[in-house]
Structure formats: C-alpha cells, structure tokens
Amino acid sequence: MMDMEADMAMAAEYLGYTAFEIAIIMFTFFFAAFVKGLAGLGFTTICLAVLAYTVGLKKGIPLIVIPGLISDLILVYEAGHFRESFSRFWRIYLYAVPGVVIGLWFLGWASTHWLTILLGFIIMAFVGYALLSKNLKLKTHWEKAGSSLSGFSTGLLTGMTGSQLMPITPFLVSLDLPRSHFIQTINSFFTVVTVMMILGLTYMGLLHLGAFAISITGLVFVYIGTKSGNYLGRRFSPILFRYCVLVMMLFSGLGLIIKEVWLNVM
C-alpha cells in the first residue's frame, strides 16, 4: 500500500499534477467534449472555467490544446462543406495567426490574476450574448471587414486566456449560417488557433512533458464525449441542455472574477 502511494506521489511529481487534479481534468475533458459535440463549440471555455479553479490558468491552458484540436478535427471532418467555408472565410483564419502570437506574448508577460479576471468577463459576455441575442443579423457588405476583425481579436483573446469563443461566435451567428456550415467554419477556426497555441506554448515552455502526457491520455475521454454529444445533438433538441450549460458557464465566469478579486483583497 505504501509502495503504491509512493508510486502515485512520484508520478504526480513527474507530471506536475496531483491524482485528484488529474481525475478532475479527465472528467472535465469528457463533459466539455460532450457539450461541444452537442452544440458545436464550448470545449475550451468549459475546460478553462473548471481548470482555472483547480490548477490555475497558466497550467490549465496547455492541458486543453491537444484535446481541443482533436475535438475540432472530429467535427471538421463530420460537418463537411470545408471548401465553401474556406473560400468564404479565409480572412478569419489568416488574421487569427498574428492575433494568437500577440496574445501569447501577453500571456507570458501579464499577471495571471488579471488574465483570469479577463477570462471570467469573456465567459459572461458570451453567455449574455447567447441568452439575449436572437435576431442579430449582419449586413452582407460588412462581412469581409467583420471576418478580419473577428479573426484577429478572437486570436488575441485566445492567446491571452485560452478562450476561443469571443467575438467569433456572435459574428458567425449573425450571418445565419446553416448548422453544418456554422460548425465547419467555427471548428476550422478553432483548429487554426489551436495549432498556433500548441506551437507557441511549446516555445514558451508551458507545454511540457507532463502536460503533454495528460493531454494525450485525455484524448480517449474527448473522443467519447465528442461522438456522444454529436450523436445526441443530431437527434434531440438541445435547447434545455444549452440553457443549463449557459447558466453553469455564467456562474463559472462570475466565480472566477469573485475568486480573483477576493484573493487580491485578502
């Protein structure tokens, strides 16, 4: 028994995460992937909302990039319409690259305290948009400028906080795309910024062997969660589940802000 405990302690020391943290990480991977399979998005934001509590933002971001990439690729493959999406929205993908690079520079330089608060506000802004906006429509002649601006600004916020949702999500929703085209476009965008995040975090030394090992192990949970959510999403109305997740995300974002402000005061 003591030998087993010693082995677990050594493994935890090598990986940089405790056994409890690893269990939380795996459950978070499955749940976030399930939500993404159901709704087409939300993996990184849900993961970060949980991991920022348990392991901290800078340790949490490197954990999610590889599982996030796999969940993106699964949906990109299954959604179809890749050529139409790339032809119409190539500016989003192009301008995201410098945005991520600048955002990663801020991640390495800025205080985790302020980045966590920013993540909390991003989550709350997304939830507020998702709950309140129903008939937002963007005029066609604004689409090109909107693609460039939303691609760069979302890349910037992704590099700084790991969250990939704002403002790309409301921009694409405002175009009233069919579900399959929306899922293809947004997950192709996620793929581009995630690849940039993997390269940048590796260069910065944040994506170390321990985080990489946990990420690879979590792929099983990500695959099962994504396929299960996508299966249910095609057969049942996800409206009630969507609202439950949004409410949970709202309290998670608010909790991140309160936690950081409270710690700063204390």
Side-chain angles (χ1 to χ4, degrees):
M1 188 70 175
M2 293 181 63
D3 291 340
M4 183 180 296
E5 292 179 356
D7 291 341
M8 291 179 64
M10 290 179 61
E13 183 179 357
Y14 172 76
L15 293 173
Y17 302 88
T18 67
F20 175 75
E21 288 175 339
I22 293 173
I24 293 294
I25 291 166
M26 296 304 158
F27 172 78
T28 304
F29 283 172
F30 171 80
F31 179 70
F34 180 82
V35 173
K36 178 160 186 168
L38 190 71
L41 71 165
F43 178 83
T44 57
T45 301
I46 292 175
C47 280
L48 288 170
V50 177
L51 297 181
Y53 283 108
T54 55
V55 301
L57 188 61
K58 286 190 178 180
K59 288 181 69 176
I61 291 176
L63 290 173
I64 67 173
V65 289
I66 295 175
L69 179 62
I70 297 303
S71 66
D72 296 337
L73 291 174
I74 291 173
L75 294 181
V76 165
Y77 174 77
E78 294 186 347
H81 310 290
F82 176 77
R83 289 185 178 179
E84 301 98 305
S85 174
F86 183 83
S87 177
R88 181 175 177 181
F89 296 111
W90 61 268
R91 292 176 181 83
I92 294 178
Y93 314 133
L94 177 65
Y95 282 87
V97 173
V100 173
V101 172
I102 297 172
L104 283 170
W105 180 83
F106 276 106
L107 177 66
W109 168 80
S111 166
T112 305
H113 167 73
W114 293 110
L115 291 178
T116 304
I117 291 176
L118 176 61
L119 174 62
F121 277 113
I122 291 173
I123 293 172
M124 293 179 66
F126 171 74
V127 173
Y129 164 79
L131 289 174
L132 299 177
S133 64
K134 295 181 179 179
N135 299 312
L136 178 63
K137 294 290 185 291
L138 185 70
K139 294 183 178 179
T140 305
H141 64 274
W142 288 107
E143 183 176 315
K144 291 183 179 179
S147 295
S148 304
L149 181 61
S150 63
F152 176 81
S153 56
T154 307
L156 178 67
L157 290 174
T158 300
M160 293 173 65
T161 68
S163 178
Q164 303 171 343
L165 289 177
M166 300 293 286
I168 189 70
T169 303
F171 169 70
L172 291 178
V173 170
S174 71
L175 299 177
D176 197 24
L177 300 172
R179 182 181 184 272
S180 58
H181 287 74
F182 173 83
I183 290 177
Q184 173 61 250
T185 302
I186 199 165
N187 282 283
S188 294
F189 173 83
F190 292 160
T191 300
V192 171
V193 296
T194 302
V195 168
M196 291 300 301
M197 289 289 287
I198 291 173
L199 296 175
L201 290 169
T202 302
Y203 176 79
M204 295 167 66
L206 294 175
L207 185 56
H208 50 77
L209 286 176
F212 183 79
I214 292 175
S215 297
I216 293 298
T217 303
L219 293 181
V220 176
F221 297 89
V222 171
Y223 180 81
I224 296 173
T226 303
K227 296 291 287 187
S228 301
N230 195 29
Y231 177 84
L232 292 177
R234 291 181 175 182
R235 289 160 176 79
F236 298 94
S237 173
I239 294 176
L240 178 60
F241 183 81
R242 173 178 176 269
Y243 276 103
C244 291
V245 171
L246 289 173
V247 170
M248 180 197 69
M249 290 174 63
L250 177 65
F251 282 105
S252 297
L254 182 61
L256 288 175
I257 296 170
I258 293 174
K259 178 176 76 74
E260 291 300 317
V261 172
W262 176 260
L263 290 175
N264 193 47
V265 172
M266 294 298 289

